Amino acid sequence: MKFYKEENMFKVLRNLSKSWAAVIVIILLLILQATADLALPDYTSKIVNIGIQQGGIENAVPEVIRKSTMDDLLLFTEEDDQILENYTLISKESLDEEDYEDYVKDYPALENEELYVCNSLKEEEEENLSAKMAKPLMIVQNLTSGETAETVKENILSQMPVPVKNANKDATALELVKVMFNMQTSSQTNQMLEELMAQVDTMSESMVEQAAITAVKAEYQAVGINTDNYQNNYIWWTGLQMLGVAFVSMAAAVCIMFLSSRVAAKLGETLRDKIFKKVLGFSTSEFKQFSTASLITRSTNDIQQIQMLITMLFRVVVYAPIIGIGGFFKVLATSDNSMAWIIGVAVGSIILIVAILFGIAMPRFKKLQDLIDKLNLVSREMLTGLSVIRAFHTEKREEKRFDDANKNLMKTYMFVNKAMNLMMPILMLVMNSISLLTIWVGGHNVDAGIMQVGDIMAFLQYTMQIVMAFLMISIISIMLPRASVSAKRINEVLETENMIKDPKEPKHLDSNKKGYVEFKDVSFRYPDADEDMLTNISFTAEPSKTTAIIGSTGSGKSTVVNLIPRFYDVTGGELLVDGVNVKDVTQKELRNAIGFVPQKGILFSGTIETNIKYSNENMSDEQMKLAAEIAQATEFIEQKPDQYDSEIAQGGSNVSGGQKQRLSIARAVAKDPEIFVFDDSFSALDYKTDAKLREALKEKTENKTVIIVAQRINTILNADQIIVLDDGKIAGKGTHEELMKNCEVYRQIALSQLSKEELE
């Protein structure tokens, strides 16, 4: 699988460093769970093979065996000493009374004959001993009962002299073999032994071991051991072990999901925090690069895609490989390589299916997030512009626009979901087909004596584990492309270079020139614009004076005042605040000195109090009320039942335009800055309120610098300095009287609003 832009995902995943301890714990728990899950099929195999089929007897090493039986089986092996050194011969005479009573309880046959008791052996020693005893035990078993015993008996009797034959016609095949050994020469005995061993050699190891275990079980019964209890004890003990392993796996899985969810949530929190802080530092230029709707989608839906991926990612990166590789090696050990090819068929089929579906769906994954952006954009425009839509009666057109965006997103989702929904039924068909194939091939192997039923069950479980591991990888392959797109979109925001930055070695505002705002031959051009918006702007706003800026629409008034708090950076000339270039001080220090009231009043959800105290939550109530009084807001605030505790809806939608502007002005006044900037902030006020507000503001701003952008001449008649802008240039500068005499642009604006008599 080829995923595009993997580096974007790696950049996002670096933010997991804050959760490194949890990640390590998750990895360790995944290893523990994988180990436990890989052990479970072994227990299933043991319960079926050993517990049920072998009566709880694990190998061909009897823990106790009669001396007579041991003597018989030693006839058919040349490793007498190697076998006997692992056993201790006990009898009634060799034991003290207490030990004898203990042994008799376990082995009742001790009352009548001597017994060999197996010594304590290591696992490797027990395996070696089992290999040595399996064939002799099988030979003894076959010579004691069954078709083989009858055939051997007939062959031996046919070779015996008539008197000997008549004397031993009722003996067992084993007894006849012993007679032959006593009668024949050493070479003849060895030849017979070799023939018997050669017959055993033609049998599979599995069949030899099964026959030997049957002999051990028969020997236990002869010794007096209750084989039913022996079997039940083995099944119960193995079952309890299996339950314990399953519980460990379950507990690990629960802890993994809990920790993975926490890690994913922490990553989401970190990414949202970074995006939010990054966006707070965006200038207006960066906001234009990303639409508001897109930024909202990137902060919510895109991060949610990453969180969903992280919840699953650890299980695929750590768990799936362990299960897949571990299960494959377990399969090789279980099936003696005879059925390993089935795993190849299963894995190959899954990879082919996922590759085809992935190739079909991948192009649409790339479009999903863009379509979500488009839907959010249309929805946001409709909600914010609802009054305009109603006023122009364009509801049907907007409904169609929304319906088109909604349908495009739906069609893409439907296509992707249909393609991905096909995957699960097809993969289930593959899994069930593999199960049938395993049972069919395994059945033939059982019939041939190559495998046991428990081995088939274990193989089937391991096969399903391997298939599920690849299935998990395929699920991640579905989630990863979309998450990768989201990671790319998140990184685009985080890696966007802010045009407005704090200096590496910032200066501080000069307290000796407090309140001075100086434009020195300032020019400004918007990014990607062909020409300057402002050209050669030069003026100085001083403390205790009001500087007004007026001009026709599009002349650059708002642009001038947006340069003061560095919403944009000048592209030519210098802008000084308190005698220092605004680029040489930190944005925080600069903006702390400015009380800015934007052209469009913006309020935040909360109360009137929280909005006025926005600059300082610890502001006194007296300072808040004074600010509201200056802004002429007490009139409507005190009429409300909850007064300053009255709720403000999102965006201030539950107050009028004039009330919103007055609260915005009160917020700036409450801050008590050294420089006030009003960007056409009085336009929604009636003349009477406007006059009262300016009068109260004049007293409040006695030692402050006031810069007012206005459209109405009445607002700026008494300003100490009026700057007239025309097409981004200063067309005039002076008082109202001076401009009426020597600035035609100002005169035309004034006469368009007031009569000559009112202007005189």
Side-chain angles (χ1 to χ4, degrees):
M1 297 287 173
K2 181 180 179 182
F3 301 116
Y4 69 100
K5 300 291 185 185
E6 292 93 340
E7 66 275 8
N8 288 306
M9 185 58 65
F10 292 140
K11 290 177 181 177
V12 168
L13 294 181
R14 287 174 192 162
N15 293 284
L16 287 172
S17 58
K18 293 184 178 180
S19 304
W20 65 269
V23 171
I24 291 174
V25 173
I26 289 171
I27 292 173
L28 293 176
L29 286 172
L30 283 169
I31 294 172
L32 176 63
Q33 184 191 0
T35 304
D37 288 345
L38 286 171
L40 289 174
D42 278 341
Y43 286 101
T44 303
S45 177
K46 286 179 180 179
I47 289 173
V48 174
N49 289 345
I50 301 173
I52 297 174
Q53 290 185 315
Q54 298 176 193
I57 302 169
E58 297 186 55
N59 51 47
V61 178
E63 69 176 55
V64 62
I65 185 170
R66 292 172 295 171
K67 182 178 182 300
S68 57
T69 306
M70 179 68 83
D71 293 340
D72 290 341
L73 70 87
L74 291 178
L75 292 173
F76 304 98
T77 179
E78 296 178 354
E79 300 178 298
D80 301 29
D81 294 337
Q82 291 91 327
I83 293 175
L84 290 175
E85 68 181 5
N86 296 294
Y87 282 88
T88 300
L89 182 64
I90 62 172
S91 64
K92 184 175 182 180
E93 292 75 18
S94 65
L95 298 171
D96 58 39
E97 185 177 349
E98 186 177 349
D99 289 341
Y100 174 74
E101 289 179 358
D102 291 338
Y103 273 112
V104 167
K105 287 180 182 177
D106 295 330
Y107 314 129
L110 183 60
E111 291 182 350
N112 304 316
E113 58 184 312
E114 295 177 304
L115 302 177
Y116 279 103
V117 178
C118 186
N119 301 329
S120 178
L121 301 176
K122 295 180 180 178
E123 184 177 352
E124 185 178 350
E125 293 173 338
E126 193 169 11
E127 289 177 0
N128 292 334
L129 183 59
S130 177
K132 293 173 183 176
M133 297 185 70
K135 289 182 180 180
L137 278 167
M138 179 187 175
I139 293 172
V140 171
Q141 175 69 16
N142 286 344
L143 291 176
T144 302
S145 61
E147 294 182 5
T148 303
E150 291 299 322
T151 303
V152 171
K153 180 177 179 179
E154 290 176 5
N155 290 336
I156 294 175
L157 288 174
S158 65
Q159 299 175 26
M160 285 182 170
V162 174
V164 178
K165 178 179 179 181
N166 292 332
N168 294 284
K169 63 180 180 180
D170 295 327
T172 64
L174 179 59
E175 290 170 343
L176 290 173
V177 168
K178 288 189 228 180
V179 172
M180 287 292 292
F181 282 170
N182 293 328
M183 291 176 59
Q184 303 298 331
T185 64
S186 177
S187 60
Q188 290 174 319
T189 303
N190 289 338
Q191 183 180 356
M192 181 173 287
L193 180 60
E194 288 174 1
E195 290 176 359
L196 289 169
M197 296 299 290
Q199 292 177 5
V200 175
D201 288 339
T202 61
M203 303 174 65
S204 68
E205 290 183 8
S206 176
M207 293 181 70
V208 171
E209 186 177 14
Q210 286 297 303
I213 288 172
T214 302
V216 172
K217 184 175 181 180
E219 182 63 21
Y220 283 171
Q221 290 172 341
V223 170
I225 297 174
N226 188 328
T227 53
D228 289 338
N229 289 341
Y230 197 92
Q231 181 180 33
N232 290 336
N233 290 339
Y234 181 87
I235 292 174
W236 273 106
W237 174 241
T238 306
L240 288 174
Q241 287 179 304
M242 189 176 183
L243 283 174
V245 172
F247 179 80
V248 169
S249 175
M250 180 195 70
V254 171
C255 293
I256 288 164
M257 291 307 297
F258 175 74
L259 290 174
S260 294
S261 299
R262 289 200 63 175
V263 169
K266 182 64 179 178
L267 177 63
E269 178 195 20
T270 301
L271 291 175
R272 280 190 293 271
D273 183 63
K274 284 190 172 183
I275 289 178
F276 183 75
K277 288 179 179 177
K278 186 71 176 181
V279 170
L280 283 180
F282 278 1
S283 67
T284 311
S285 300
E286 281 89 52
F287 273 110
K288 289 181 179 178
Q289 180 181 342
F290 304 99
S291 68
T292 303
S294 180
L295 287 173
I296 292 172
T297 304
R298 292 170 200 245
S299 300
T300 52
N301 187 273
D302 283 318
I303 292 177
Q304 186 180 11
Q305 298 301 322
I306 301 294
Q307 284 187 229
M308 291 171 61
L309 175 71
I310 293 300
T311 305
M312 290 288 297
L313 189 61
F314 291 111
R315 298 187 67 81
V316 173
V317 172
V318 180
Y319 182 79
I322 295 175
I323 285 291
I325 297 171
F328 185 73
F329 281 108
K330 288 279 191 178
V331 161
L332 294 181
T334 302
S335 61
D336 296 327
N337 300 333
S338 61
M339 295 174 63
W341 60 272
I342 296 177
I343 304 297
V345 172
V347 172
S349 302
I350 291 172
I351 291 175
L352 179 63
I353 293 167
V354 172
I356 293 172
L357 292 176
F358 185 79
I360 293 172
M362 180 63 189
R364 303 300 178 101
F365 275 124
K366 298 178 182 179
K367 293 182 180 179
L368 275 177
Q369 299 305 112
D370 291 335
L371 290 173
I372 292 173
D373 277 354
K374 178 66 175 176
L375 184 66
N376 283 344
L377 176 65
V378 173
S379 301
R380 188 172 182 276
E381 286 181 346
M382 288 180 64
L383 293 172
T384 55
L386 193 59
S387 57
V388 178
I389 293 170
R390 289 172 177 170
F392 285 86
H393 195 55
T394 56
E395 290 91 345
K396 293 295 182 183
R397 185 200 305 169
E398 293 302 319
E399 284 176 10
K400 184 179 183 306
R401 194 159 71 101
F402 179 83
D403 194 48
D404 290 342
N406 196 20
K407 282 183 177 178
N408 287 336
L409 180 60
M410 179 202 69
K411 288 177 181 177
T412 305
Y413 262 123
M414 289 287 288
F415 182 88
V416 170
N417 288 339
K418 284 178 181 178
M420 292 303 105
N421 286 339
L422 280 174
M423 186 178 73
M424 288 308 297
I426 294 173
L427 290 178
M428 289 304 297
L429 176 63
V430 170
M431 291 174 66
N432 291 327
S433 300
I434 292 300
S435 298
L436 289 174
L437 182 61
T438 300
I439 294 170
W440 185 73
V441 175
H444 283 78
N445 288 343
V446 170
D447 185 56
I450 299 173
M451 297 179 67
Q452 293 180 268
V453 175
D455 294 335
I456 296 177
M457 295 178 67
F459 179 88
L460 190 58
Q461 285 181 281
Y462 284 128
T463 303
M464 291 302 102
Q465 285 180 338
I466 294 169
V467 170
M468 287 304 297
F470 278 88
L471 186 59
M472 289 169 65
I473 293 172
S474 66
I475 292 173
I476 280 294
S477 72
I478 297 170
M479 299 174 66
L480 189 57
R482 189 172 179 187
S484 183
V485 172
S486 295
K488 178 176 179 292
R489 287 159 53 85
I490 291 169
N491 286 326
E492 283 176 351
V493 176
L494 296 178
E495 293 174 0
T496 297
E497 195 72 20
N498 288 356
M499 293 184 65
I500 298 177
K501 302 177 183 177
D502 286 336
K504 293 182 179 178
E505 297 180 1
K507 297 180 181 178
H508 294 286
L509 298 176
D510 188 353
S511 58
N512 294 322
K513 300 195 72 175
K514 189 174 182 179
Y516 281 86
V517 179
E518 302 171 71
F519 283 76
K520 293 186 176 180
D521 201 23
V522 168
S523 298
F524 173 73
R525 176 179 299 186
Y526 285 106
D528 302 324
D530 296 328
E531 56 185 24
D532 288 344
M533 180 65 191
L534 300 175
T535 307
N536 301 328
I537 304 297
S538 297
F539 69 89
T540 300
E542 301 177 7
S544 303
K545 293 184 179 180
T546 299
T547 298
I549 303 174
I550 195 169
S552 59
T553 302
S555 61
K557 303 183 298 298
S558 294
T559 304
V560 169
V561 293
N562 280 332
L563 294 175
I564 299 173
R566 279 193 81 190
F567 294 159
Y568 294 101
D569 267 341
V570 300
T571 53
E574 277 189 309
L575 172 56
L576 308 180
V577 171
D578 289 3
V580 182
N581 192 315
V582 293
K583 295 180 180 179
D584 295 333
V585 297
T586 62
Q587 297 173 65
K588 181 178 180 180
E589 184 176 1
L590 172 66
R591 291 167 184 169
N592 277 341
I594 300 169
F596 190 87
V597 184
Q599 188 172 7
K600 181 182 179 182
I602 297 173
L603 298 180
F604 300 95
S605 56
T607 63
I608 292 176
E609 179 180 357
T610 59
N611 272 275
I612 296 178
K613 292 183 176 182
Y614 188 72
S615 61
N616 181 9
E617 295 179 356
N618 298 319
M619 182 185 300
S620 66
D621 291 344
E622 290 73 18
Q623 188 175 350
M624 173 189 69
K625 291 177 180 178
L626 178 61
E629 186 178 346
I630 293 171
Q632 307 302 305
T634 52
E635 176 186 350
F636 72 87
I637 292 175
E638 292 176 355
Q639 290 179 355
K640 293 180 177 291
D642 297 326
Q643 297 189 353
Y644 290 91
D645 291 327
S646 300
E647 290 292 326
I648 296 293
Q650 183 180 0
S653 58
N654 61 337
V655 293
S656 67
Q659 291 172 345
K660 193 183 299 184
Q661 274 198 340
R662 279 180 278 177
L663 288 175
S664 297
I665 293 169
R667 180 172 58 204
V669 172
K671 184 180 178 181
D672 195 27
E674 59 187 73
I675 300 168
F676 284 95
V677 178
F678 299 97
D679 184 8
D680 199 15
S681 307
F682 307 108
S683 57
L685 306 178
D686 59 78
Y687 287 108
K688 180 180 178 182
T689 304
D690 185 0
K692 286 183 178 180
L693 194 154
R694 284 186 286 109
E695 182 65 29
L697 194 61
K698 186 175 181 181
E699 297 177 7
K700 172 69 176 177
T701 60
E702 185 177 354
N703 298 315
K704 313 287 185 181
T705 301
V706 179
I707 300 174
I708 299 176
V709 172
Q711 295 278 6
R712 297 195 308 216
I713 291 292
N714 270 344
T715 304
I716 62 171
L717 280 175
N718 299 317
D720 299 292
Q721 177 182 221
I722 301 173
I723 310 297
V724 184
L725 293 182
D726 185 34
D727 197 21
K729 299 177 183 177
I730 293 180
K733 186 191 309 181
T735 62
H736 168 71
E737 291 76 12
E738 291 171 347
L739 292 172
M740 285 297 294
K741 294 177 182 178
N742 54 35
C743 182
E744 182 62 26
V745 174
Y746 181 81
R747 187 183 303 111
Q748 292 298 325
I749 294 172
L751 290 173
S752 68
Q753 297 182 24
L754 301 172
S755 63
K756 288 184 179 181
E757 291 77 12
E758 289 174 314
L759 292 170
E760 290 177 356

